[in-house]
Amino acid sequence: MRFILVRHGQTYWNIEHRLHGWLDSDITPSSRDLALNLSLEEYFIDSQGVVLFSSDLIRAKRTAELIAKTHQLPMECDQRLRERRFGLLQGEVINEKVNQHSEWLAYSNRYNLPLSGKSFGEEPEIEFVDRILSFLSDSLSNGSQTIVIVSHGEWIRTFVNLCEKRASWEFGAGIPNNMEPLIVDCSEEDIATLLKKHELQRQRARACT
């Protein structure tokens, strides 16, 4: 199974170095042109049955609509593809406010320790991973060998980590550039193994509470 991951087009907030999370900013006119002209056919395993899923946030949805139009693909929005929620830091320019030093420090340290949800009202690591794997689980039953996903930087980074058997919070391959396709091949057997492993981790976590 092949996943073609595309981070949404550059937004006005990206230019301002402002953190989105679940808040939104539209993509720029130049990003619209890039999305409309983005070619993905060379990555399709089979041109038949390719499907496109998008985050429901505007910056991803706008990008996905243009890609779907160019490639004549069916498109579906899914909330599970949203960016990670960043609580109090959403809408803020990164590291701008001195009175949020401890919050930005925790944000900057997110690749060393999984976020717990208690630092600045962020989405806890376990919940973030839950929804990514929920989508991945459903992908097993849609019958397509090529799935295009238009999502967000942290979501894509975490998805790739999981598929490549790294800890979800590690930096890994990092945050992809806007509109730069990233290809991940993952067998159904590997996905099933990943889901079982996560469920065992969930069970152990529940047993400790």
Side-chain angles (χ1 to χ4, degrees), residues 104-153:
W104 284 117
L105 187 62
Y107 170 82
S108 299
N109 199 40
R110 68 194 184 283
Y111 300 140
N112 298 315
L113 292 170
L115 289 170
S116 65
K118 299 178 181 178
S119 298
F120 44 86
E122 76 280 9
E123 185 173 12
E125 189 73 25
I126 191 69
E127 293 181 11
F128 187 39
V129 171
D130 276 350
R131 63 181 171 92
I132 293 174
L133 290 183
S134 172
F135 174 82
L136 191 56
S137 176
D138 285 351
S139 71
L140 291 172
S141 59
N142 71 24
S144 177
Q145 287 301 305
T146 302
I147 298 176
V148 181
I149 297 174
V150 180
S151 187
H152 309 268

Side-chain angles (χ1 to χ4, degrees), residues 30-49:
S30 60
S31 290
R32 291 173 184 267
D33 292 339
L34 285 172
L36 196 58
N37 291 290
L38 184 66
S39 178
L40 298 177
E41 289 97 337
E42 63 183 290
Y43 305 118
F44 295 169
I45 292 177
D46 185 341
S47 59
Q48 301 299 315

Side-chain angles (χ1 to χ4, degrees), residues 22-135:
W22 284 9
L23 298 184
D24 235 330
S25 172
D26 207 348
I27 61 175
T28 64
S30 60
S31 290
R32 291 173 184 267
D33 292 339
L34 285 172
L36 196 58
N37 291 290
L38 184 66
S39 178
L40 298 177
E41 289 97 337
E42 63 183 290
Y43 305 118
F44 295 169
I45 292 177
D46 185 341
S47 59
Q48 301 299 315
V50 179
V51 293
L52 187 156
F53 290 93
S54 171
S55 159
D56 65 328
L57 295 174
I58 290 298
R59 58 192 183 275
K61 185 179 178 183
R62 292 270 195 270
T63 304
E65 287 171 343
L66 295 167
I67 294 173
K69 179 180 179 180
T70 296
H71 295 84
Q72 297 185 327
L73 297 176
M75 173 184 154
E76 182 177 334
C77 289
D78 193 318
Q79 289 187 350
R80 293 174 296 182
L81 305 186
R82 282 186 173 197
E83 180 60 291
R84 186 182 204 137
R85 189 184 72 248
F86 283 114
L88 297 173
L89 301 183
Q90 294 183 153
E92 301 290 347
V93 174
I94 295 174
N95 288 325
E96 181 180 56
K97 290 187 177 178
V98 176
N99 65 347
Q100 289 182 328
H101 176 73
S102 62
E103 288 87 352
W104 284 117
L105 187 62
Y107 170 82
S108 299
N109 199 40
R110 68 194 184 283
Y111 300 140
N112 298 315
L113 292 170
L115 289 170
S116 65
K118 299 178 181 178
S119 298
F120 44 86
E122 76 280 9
E123 185 173 12
E125 189 73 25
I126 191 69
E127 293 181 11
F128 187 39
V129 171
D130 276 350
R131 63 181 171 92
I132 293 174
L133 290 183
S134 172
F135 174 82

